[in-house]
Amino acid sequence: MNAKVIDHPLIQHKLSLIRNIHTGTKEFRELLEEISMLMAFEITRDLPLEDVEIETPVAKCTCKMLSGKKLGIVPILRAGLGMTNGVVRLIPAVKVGHIGLYRDPQTLMPVEYYCKLPSDVAERDFILIDPMLATGNSLAASIDILKRKGAKNIKCMCLVASPEGIQLINNAHPDVDIFVAAIDEKLNDHGYIVPGLGDAGDRIFGTK
Ligand SMILES: O=P(O)(O)OC[C@H]1O[C@H](OP(=O)(O)OP(=O)(O)O)[C@H](O)[C@@H]1O
Ligand SMILES: O=c1cc[nH]c(=O)[nH]1
Ligand SMILES: [Mg+2]
């Protein structure tokens, strides 16, 4: 299974606060941004480094810096926006694409309404961002879009996943690694993750 649970205590603590029905919009947003930053720290741990010569106030030395690998992040609208700033704060020069999808409540299938990606998709490694991986249909469709445009190296960053969603991505896109803060128990009859955190988009933007 290409799913890794990032079980750092700080992430787990903040996730529990986020799940709480009594956590309001302001706190929800702040916590989600903090968790995103912590998750991005782990997801980027294999970024390549190169040697550079640096002169400190004391001596010259050989140090490590990022080798300049081209990276892009792609939040899936709307809820993915809630995890974007945390990553951008960690990687300030990262290019940001957007894929707009909403899940039809009857069919649970994604409906695409927007797509704007960096022009050099084929040259970049991507992190797709969406807090909720429920049926997996939205994430699978987004991976399809990125691959059709030429992306070859895609990772996914989700806050909470269902076992069903992870299975679907593994079957459809076995080359794609998924990083999550938690794998919950199941989906309910309406395709919501149980226990989950409710509707992530509504909780981030205060629309319900
Ligand atoms: O795995 P799935 O079954 O496809 O469900 C997950 C999708 O549902 C939510 O978005 P939603 O459709 O509510 O749109 P929103 O972000 O605009 O609220 C969530 O942010 C995912 O994109
Ligand atoms: O539990 C879920 C499932 C889909 N979308 C959400 O925001 N939450
Ligand atoms: Mg929603």
Side-chain angles (χ1 to χ4, degrees), residues 10-147:
L10 286 173
I11 294 178
Q12 295 305 312
H13 178 84
K14 291 172 192 290
L15 173 59
S16 299
L17 294 172
I18 262 191
R19 287 186 191 272
N20 192 326
I21 191 173
H22 301 297
T23 296
T25 303
K26 175 179 180 290
E27 204 185 345
F28 191 97
R29 282 189 195 135
E30 290 168 355
L31 287 162
L32 190 56
E33 183 172 332
E34 290 167 13
I35 292 176
S36 313
M37 205 184 300
L38 292 166
M39 289 186 75
F41 183 75
E42 179 63 24
I43 294 169
T44 54
R45 89 162 32 251
D46 61 355
L47 279 180
L49 295 169
E50 63 185 11
D51 287 344
V52 289
E53 300 304 313
I54 299 273
E55 186 175 354
T56 77
V58 179
K60 287 186 176 167
C61 59
T62 304
C63 302
K64 304 281 184 200
M65 289 189 79
L66 292 173
S67 72
K69 186 170 200 54
K70 287 186 162 189
L71 258 190
I73 60 170
V74 179
I76 302 174
L77 308 179
R78 288 175 303 168
L81 291 176
M83 299 183 83
T84 301
N85 275 355
V87 184
V88 171
R89 285 181 65 190
L90 213 58
I91 318 168
V94 77
K95 298 285 184 285
V96 185
H98 294 85
I99 293 177
L101 298 177
Y102 70 86
R103 191 173 80 152
D104 181 290
Q106 257 74 50
T107 63
L108 301 185
M109 293 307 291
V111 181
E112 184 183 340
Y113 59 86
Y114 188 75
C115 182
K116 181 77 181 173
L117 299 170
S119 54
D120 52 357
V121 170
E123 295 163 34
R124 289 189 182 273
D125 289 357
F126 281 94
I127 305 174
L128 255 176
I129 300 176
D130 194 328
M132 306 310 280
L133 172 52
T135 64
N137 293 329
S138 301
L139 193 62
S142 302
I143 296 170
D144 283 336
I145 292 168
L146 272 181
K147 284 187 175 176

Side-chain angles (χ1 to χ4, degrees), residues 156-170:
C156 299
M157 172 169 136
C158 302
L159 185 65
V160 181
S162 71
E164 296 92 328
I166 287 174
Q167 195 59 57
L168 186 132
I169 302 299
N170 273 318

Side-chain angles (χ1 to χ4, degrees), residues 78-79 103 108 130-135 138 160 184 186-188 190-203:
R78 288 175 303 168
R103 191 173 80 152
L108 301 185
D130 194 328
M132 306 310 280
L133 172 52
T135 64
S138 301
V160 181
D184 278 8
K186 60 178 182 180
L187 294 177
N188 69 16
H190 305 286
Y192 275 79
I193 300 173
V194 181
L197 49 78
D199 188 304
D202 285 337
R203 295 199 64 189

